[in-house]
Amino acid sequence: MNGADAIVAAMAKNQIDICFANPGTTELALVDALDRASGIRSVLGLFEGVCTGAADGYARMLGRPAATLLHLGPGFANGIANLHNARRARSPMLNLIGDHATWHLPFDAPLASDIKSLATPVSGHYTYLGTPQLCIDETVTAIGATKSGLISTVVIPTDVQEHVFDERPGIPALSPRKIEACDGERIEAAARVLRSRKAVIILLGAGAMTSAGQRAAASIAATTRARVFAETFPARWDRGGDTPVIPRFPYFPEMGIETLKDAECVLLVGARAPIAYFGKTGLPSELVRPGTSVETLADPGGDAEGAIVALAQALGVEPIPPFAISVPSLPEHGLRLDPSVMAQTVAELMPERAIVAVEGATTTPFFFTTAAAARPHTVLTNTGGAIGQGMPVATGAALACPDRQVINLQGDGSAAYTVQALWTQARERLNVVTILCANKNYGVLRVELGRAGMNPDAPVPHRLTSLEDPALDWVGLARGFGVPAARAHTAGDLAELTRTALSQGGPFLIEAVM
Amino acid sequence: MNGADAIVAAMAKNQIDICFANPGTTELALVDALDRASGIRSVLGLFEGVCTGAADGYARMLGRPAATLLHLGPGFANGIANLHNARRARSPMLNLIGDHATWHLPFDAPLASDIKSLATPVSGHYTYLGTPQLCIDETVTAIGATKSGLISTVVIPTDVQEHVFDERPGIPALSPRKIEACDGERIEAAARVLRSRKAVIILLGAGAMTSAGQRAAASIAATTRARVFAETFPARWDRGGDTPVIPRFPYFPEMGIETLKDAECVLLVGARAPIAYFGKTGLPSELVRPGTSVETLADPGGDAEGAIVALAQALGVEPIPPFAISVPSLPEHGLRLDPSVMAQTVAELMPERAIVAVEGATTTPFFFTTAAAARPHTVLTNTGGAIGQGMPVATGAALACPDRQVINLQGDGSAAYTVQALWTQARERLNVVTILCANKNYGVLRVELGRAGMNPDAPVPHRLTSLEDPALDWVGLARGFGVPAARAHTAGDLAELTRTALSQGGPFLIEAVM
C-alpha cells in the first residue's frame, strides 16, 4: 500500500464513491490507486470546471461529497468558478490535487504555482500532505470537514503518493455527523413574533425548501399574518406535487425592497438576510428596511427544515391540505419559442421526480412560476453567479440519481463556458435532456446596461453582449461532443422533441431557437 | 469623464490598443467607456481563458501588453491557467477586473470572493483601486509594471468606475522602457570560458531566439567547443530561412542529463538552468551535473539577444554564412496520418513568416525537427504547461499580426479546454488554420504511466486518458463555433486541405485523424 492507496482507501471507507477527474502527470499514482480500489467510480471531465460543477450537483442531490482529482495549480484554477458556486451552495466536496515531489518543489518547475493562494478562497479546509505519515489522518480530517458542508482541498506531492508503507496502516471511519437540534429559544422567539400578529416575511433557505419544510411554512402563513418566500438562488428546491406553491424572492433589488416594505419582521429559516445581488447607486445593499426586525430561526447550513416544522408545532397550526398538481396545458403548436413557451412545455412534459438544473438569467425565471404546481420535481440553481454551472451540475445530479430524469434548462451564454460537460454526459450515458435557450446574447447584461442608463446597442456594448456573428450552432456542438441533438423553432417542435428525448433515455440537447 | 473613462484613457495613451473581454454586470461602465474611447479594439471571448491566452499571444508577437476585461473573482479564475502560461512566457498584460461597489463589498454578495488571493499567484503587480483619485496614477503604474514583462492586475469597484470627475484629469504617458545594456563583466567572463576551449553548452532563452541571436550563437559554436541548444518551451522562437538550425533541449530529464553529461560549463543566455519538468524518483531536479559550472550571460527577461551578439563580437568570431531553406518534400499521398506526416506537411506548405502555435506533447515535437530549416517562421509554445493554451494564443497572435498566416498545430486533449477560441477566430475573421491532431487520448499521460511502471491500459488509467467513447467530432465542433472545417485521413487529404485553407484566408480547422 502506498500513500495514494491510503488516501483512496480513506475515501472509500468514508462513503466517497465517485471521483470527477482530470488528472495530469502529478496525479498518476492516484489514478493507479483508483484502479486498484473498489467502490469508487472514476468519471473523466474534459475540463476541470466540469469536474467541480458535477461534484457540486452530486452533493446537492445526495448530501454527501464527491471527490475531484485535479492537476496542480492551473488545473485546479480551471475548477474555481464552479467551486465558488459550490461554496455558496454549501455543497461538501473533497478536492485532491497532485503536486510536484516535495524535493522538486524548490526548483520552481514550469507547472509550479502557489496552490494554497488559489485554493483558499473556495476551500473551507485546506491541507498540504507534506509527509506520508500524514496521509491517512489528514485525509480523514479533510473528509470530516466536508460533513459540515465545507469544501476540503488536499494537496498531495508525488513522493507522498508513491511512498510505500511497511505495514498496511489502519483506516479510520468517521462517525455520522450529528445534526444540531434546532434551538428552542429561537423557536420560542419566532413563535412570539408570529403570535403578535406582526407582518412577518418568512424567508426560506434551501435547507427548509423540502416538501415538509414548505408545508410547515405555508401552514404558518395560513394562520398568521406571515408571508413566505423562497431564497432567490437555492442550492436545491423540492417543488410541485402536493408541496405548496411558494414564491421566489425577487432578483432585482427594487423589487426586493418593494416586497419587504410593509414587513415588520423578517424571519430567516436557513436563508441569509436579503441583500442586493449587485450594489446599485441610490439603492441600499441591505434590502430589509431599517427598523424592520430580523430574526433568525435557523442558520444557513443548520437544520432549517427541522426548525420550521418545530415552529409550526409550537404555534399549533393546522397542517394545510395537500396542494393539487396544476400545469398549464401545452402552448399552441405554432407559437414561436420564448422563455414562457419553453417553461410551459417543460412544466407540462417533465416526468415525476425530474431534477431541473436551471441557468440563464433572462430565459429561466419563467420556469419558477410556470412549474410551481407541476408534478413533483427538484430544482437546482446557480448559487454563486459564476456562469458555466448548469451543464456540469446537471451531469453530477444525473450520476447521483440514475433513476431520475434530469432536465437542464440552460441559457446559451452560460452554456458556452463549460460545454465540455456534454461529452461526459455522452460517455456516461446520462439521462440529461438539455433545453438550450438560444437567444444569442448575454441578455442580463443588456438589461443591466439599460438599467444603468447606458445604451446596449452602442457598438462596443452590442459587440460584447451579442452572441451573433456568428451564431453558435448548438446542434453541431452537442453532436461534436457525442450528444444527439435537434433544433426547435416552434412550440410544436419543442414539445415533440422533448417527448422523444425523454422517452428514449440518455443525453439529448434541444436547441430552442429564439 | 468618469473613472472608467480615465482608466481607458490611460490605456489608450500608453499604447494599449486591444482589450480581450468577457465582462459582467460589474464591468459595464468600463464597457461603456471602451465604446466612447477611440483606438482600443474590444474583442469578445466566450470564456475567460480565451481572453488571457489571446492577450499572451498578442504580447509575444508585439512585445507590448494587451488588456483583458474580466468579471469578478470567478471570471478572473477562469483565466488563471493561461495567465500562468503568460507569466512563464514573461508576457506583459493588463487585467482589469470589476468589483462590487466599495460600499457593497462588506455584504458578501453571491459573486464576492477574495480576488487578491486568486490573482497574486499569476500577477507580478496587483492593485485595488479603492478611490477614484487613484484611478489614473495607479492604472499608469500598473501599465508601467508591464514594461518589465509583468502581468498587472487591477481591480476596480463599480463606484470608482462610475465616479464623475469635476475636472477632466490629465493622463500621463510613460516614457519607453530603457532596456538595460548587457553586462560587460558577464560578457568578458563568458568569453574567457569559451576561449579556454572548455566544453560549453550555450542554452538560449526566448529573448535570444531571434535570427540575430541564433546566428551569433551559431557563429560562436562554429569556432569554439560550444554547442548551442534552445530552451524547451520558448515563448517565441524565430526559425527557418537563413537562421541556423539549433536543436531544442530535450523534454525528458533522462535525455537532458545525457545532453549535459560532458559539459564543463553551461552558459545561460536568457534561459533558466535546466531542471526536470516533473520530479522523478531516482533522477535529480537539476539536470546540470554537480561540478559543471553554470554562467549567466543574460537573465530571463534581460537583453539576451544583445548579450549573445556582444559575446560574438568580443570573441571576434566570423559571422556564419546564411543557412539555406531545406524542407523535405510532401509525404506520399496515400500515407496514413501520424505526427511526422503532419509536421512534414506543415513544414512544406506554410508560407513565409507564418506564426506556428504548437500545443500537444505527443503530436507536436516532430515539428521542431522537421521544420527547422523551412521558410522563415515564428513558433509559439506552451510555456507553463497549463493546457488549453494553443488556440487562444493563436487567436491573439493573429490579431497582433494580421499580415501573417497563423497555423495552430494542436493536440486534441488540450484543445478541448479552450475550444471556445474558435468562435473568436470566426467572429474576427482571423487567418488561423488549425491542424488538430486527433489521436484521441492524453498521450503524454499514457507515456508517463508507462515510465512510472503503471499500466496505461488498466481500466481506470485507460478511462481517464482515453478520449474515445465517444470520439470528439472536431469538424462538428469547429463548425458549431462558426469555423469551417474538414477531416483528413491521409497525407494527400491533409496537403490538399492545408493548401485550400491557406489560400482562402480566414479561420479553418482540419481534423487530422490518427
Side-chain angles (χ1 to χ4, degrees), chain A residues 19 21-26 28-32 34-35 40 42-48 69 71-75 77-78 80-81 84 87-88 100-101 103-105 107-114 116-122 158-159 162 233 251 272 275-286 383-387 413 416-420 423 426-429 442 444-445 448-449 452-455 458-474 476-483, chain B residues 19 21-26 28-32 34-35 40 42-48 69 71-75 77-78 80-81 84 87-88 100-101 103-105 107-114 116-122 158-159 162 233 251 272 275-286 383-387 413 416-420 423 426-429 442 444-445 448-449 452-455 458-474 476-483:
Chain A
C19 179
N22 187 277
T25 301
T26 47
L28 293 181
L30 284 158
V31 169
D32 204 45
L34 284 164
D35 191 65
I40 301 183
S42 296
V43 175
L44 178 62
L46 297 186
F47 175 72
E48 293 86 348
L69 179 61
H71 185 41
L72 290 156
N78 281 333
I80 288 174
H84 173 90
R87 181 173 78 91
R88 293 295 185 190
H100 288 296
W103 47 266
H104 191 55
L105 206 52
F107 297 94
D108 192 30
L111 270 161
S113 66
D114 184 347
K116 185 175 184 178
S117 187
L118 295 171
T120 42
V122 288
T158 54
D159 51 337
E162 292 164 6
F233 294 106
Y251 168 76
R272 296 172 62 199
I275 54 160
Y277 202 90
F278 293 109
K280 190 167 154 41
T281 309
L283 291 178
S285 294
E286 296 178 291
T383 47
I387 65 180
Y417 288 71
T418 48
V419 62
Q420 303 92 337
W423 182 83
R427 173 176 266 200
E428 305 292 335
R429 278 82 170 164
Y442 293 125
V444 71
L445 293 188
E448 295 282 7
L449 279 160
M454 306 170 197
N455 176 9
V460 172
H462 176 76
R463 195 140 177 93
L464 295 184
T465 58
S466 155
L467 302 179
E468 289 176 322
D469 183 23
L472 293 156
D473 166 6
W474 286 99
L477 290 174
R479 290 182 184 158
F481 284 118
V483 169
Chain B
C19 179
N22 186 278
T25 300
T26 47
L28 293 181
L30 284 159
V31 169
D32 204 43
L34 284 165
D35 192 65
I40 300 183
S42 296
V43 175
L44 178 61
L46 297 187
F47 175 72
E48 294 85 350
L69 180 60
H71 184 41
L72 289 155
N78 282 333
I80 289 174
H84 173 88
R87 181 171 77 89
R88 292 296 185 190
H100 289 295
W103 46 265
H104 191 54
L105 206 52
F107 298 94
D108 191 30
L111 270 161
S113 66
D114 184 347
K116 186 174 184 180
S117 186
L118 294 172
T120 42
V122 288
T158 54
D159 50 337
E162 291 164 6
F233 294 106
Y251 168 76
R272 297 171 62 201
I275 54 160
Y277 202 90
F278 293 110
K280 190 165 152 44
T281 308
L283 292 177
S285 294
E286 295 178 291
T383 47
I387 64 180
Y417 288 72
T418 49
V419 62
Q420 303 93 337
W423 183 83
R427 173 176 266 199
E428 305 291 334
R429 279 81 168 162
Y442 294 124
V444 70
L445 293 188
E448 295 281 8
L449 279 160
M454 306 170 196
N455 176 11
V460 171
H462 176 77
R463 197 144 177 91
L464 295 184
T465 58
S466 156
L467 302 178
E468 290 178 320
D469 184 22
L472 293 155
D473 166 7
W474 286 99
L477 290 174
R479 289 180 184 160
F481 283 116
V483 169

Side-chain angles (χ1 to χ4, degrees), chain A residues 325-370:
Chain A
I325 291 172
S326 145
V327 184
S329 53
L330 282 176
E332 287 289 330
H333 273 210
L335 281 179
R336 300 286 306 169
L337 294 178
D338 65 24
S340 136
V341 167
M342 286 175 41
Q344 215 171 319
T345 307
V346 175
E348 169 65 30
L349 295 181
M350 66 182 175
E352 200 150 305
R353 301 183 68 235
I355 299 165
V356 188
V358 300
E359 182 179 43
T362 44
T363 47
T364 64
F366 290 87
F367 179 77
F368 288 98
T369 43
T370 308

Side-chain angles (χ1 to χ4, degrees), chain B residues 107-292:
Chain B
F107 298 94
D108 191 30
L111 270 161
S113 66
D114 184 347
I115 302 177
K116 186 174 184 180
S117 186
L118 294 172
T120 42
V122 288
S123 306
H125 179 92
Y126 173 90
T127 315
Y128 175 79
L129 289 188
T131 71
Q133 286 65 41
L134 291 175
C135 265
I136 296 167
D137 286 353
E138 292 284 320
T139 302
V140 172
T141 303
I143 296 171
T146 68
K147 293 193 184 277
S148 325
L150 297 182
I151 295 170
S152 283
T153 299
V154 180
V155 178
I156 316 135
T158 54
D159 50 337
V160 172
Q161 294 174 43
E162 291 164 6
H163 172 86
V164 177
F165 293 104
D166 296 332
E167 273 182 75
R168 197 182 171 80
I171 311 284
L174 290 157
S175 48
R177 184 193 171 201
K178 267 201 218 141
I179 295 171
E180 219 166 297
C182 38
D183 182 326
E185 278 182 35
R186 284 181 172 187
I187 292 167
E188 207 29 67
R192 269 196 305 276
V193 171
L194 288 159
R195 284 197 199 99
S196 74
R197 306 292 302 160
K198 275 196 181 149
V200 175
I201 291 221
I202 300 176
L203 186 61
L204 304 181
M209 289 160 75
T210 59
S211 186
Q214 292 172 92
R215 291 184 59 74
S219 67
I220 293 169
T223 51
T224 64
R225 282 185 65 211
R227 293 160 66 206
V228 184
F229 287 87
E231 66 176 344
T232 316
F233 294 106
R236 181 183 165 153
W237 189 0
D238 290 334
R239 313 179 81 211
D242 61 6
T243 303
V245 172
I246 286 179
R248 191 174 167 232
F249 193 83
Y251 168 76
F252 287 112
E254 297 89 332
M255 293 165 68
I257 291 167
E258 176 67 23
T259 301
L260 294 167
K261 76 171 188 309
D262 297 325
E264 292 167 284
C265 173
V266 175
L267 180 64
L268 303 173
V269 189
R272 297 171 62 201
I275 54 160
Y277 202 90
F278 293 110
K280 190 165 152 44
T281 308
L283 292 177
S285 294
E286 295 178 291
L287 305 185
V288 179
R289 248 186 333 117
T292 303

